[in-house]
Each structure stands twice: as structure tokens, then as C-alpha cells.
Amino acid sequence: VGLQVREPATAEVKRLYVRPEERGGLARSLMGSLHLHARDAGLDRLLLDVVPSRVHVIDFYRRLGYVETMPYTAESMPMVYMEWSKATDV
């Protein structure tokens, strides 16, 4: 998993992937570390996009405090856009 800074205090979460045989908490741990890194770097807002058919992934991000937001890129295919804000972190 990585971050791509888009503007001051905002970054996009890029390429979170955990092999199926390694799943069961590793993604949550990676995202927890990513959120800590984001805070340490002064980032207040994280953005990401998910293919709509990946409902389990969308639910995973919701459990981490992400909410749906307006598109922030011009993707060629439909996406679900989500954001996390330090101000609303639970």
C-alpha cells in the first residue's frame, strides 16, 4: 500500500493488495500503519477509489472510517470514490 500526495494535506491511497492466503487482518494492519504515517506527514485527508463490484472491499473501507465522496479523477470506468478525514477518524 502506498500514498500519492495530491495537494497539501491530501493524498490518495494506492494499490492496497494482500494475497488471499495472507488475509485476515493484514490489510487492516497495513491501513492502520498508513493512517499513522499520514498523520505524521501532516496529511488530513485520504482519498481512494474502488471498482463498484468489490463490495467487500468497499465495506472494509467503511469500517475504517471512509465515506463516499465526489470523484476526484476522471476515470474511464465507473468507480466508488471514498475519503477518510483525520477530523472524522473513529
Side-chain angles (χ1 to χ4, degrees):
V1 66
L3 287 174
Q4 179 180 14
V5 176
R6 298 187 63 84
E7 56 190 64
T10 300
E12 182 179 0
V13 177
K14 303 296 279 185
R15 295 174 183 83
L16 172 65
Y17 179 78
V18 177
R19 291 183 190 139
E21 64 273 11
E22 302 295 329
R23 293 181 184 158
L26 185 55
R28 180 175 289 278
S29 178
L30 287 169
M31 288 302 292
S33 294
L34 181 103
H35 287 165
L36 289 174
H37 175 75
R39 283 187 190 111
D40 290 346
L43 298 170
D44 297 327
R45 185 171 169 241
L46 300 179
L47 304 168
L48 57 83
D49 54 60
V50 181
V51 176
S53 63
R54 304 208 53 213
V55 293
H56 290 93
V57 175
I58 294 166
D59 288 342
F60 167 73
Y61 286 122
R62 283 185 179 132
R63 288 191 304 274
L64 293 178
Y66 286 78
V67 295
E68 289 188 37
T69 191
M70 298 298 297
Y72 54 87
T73 64
E75 293 286 334
S76 61
M77 57 190 281
M79 301 295 273
V80 174
Y81 295 91
M82 303 184 84
E83 74 173 280
W84 170 90
S85 171
K86 184 170 74 172
T88 60
D89 187 26
V90 290

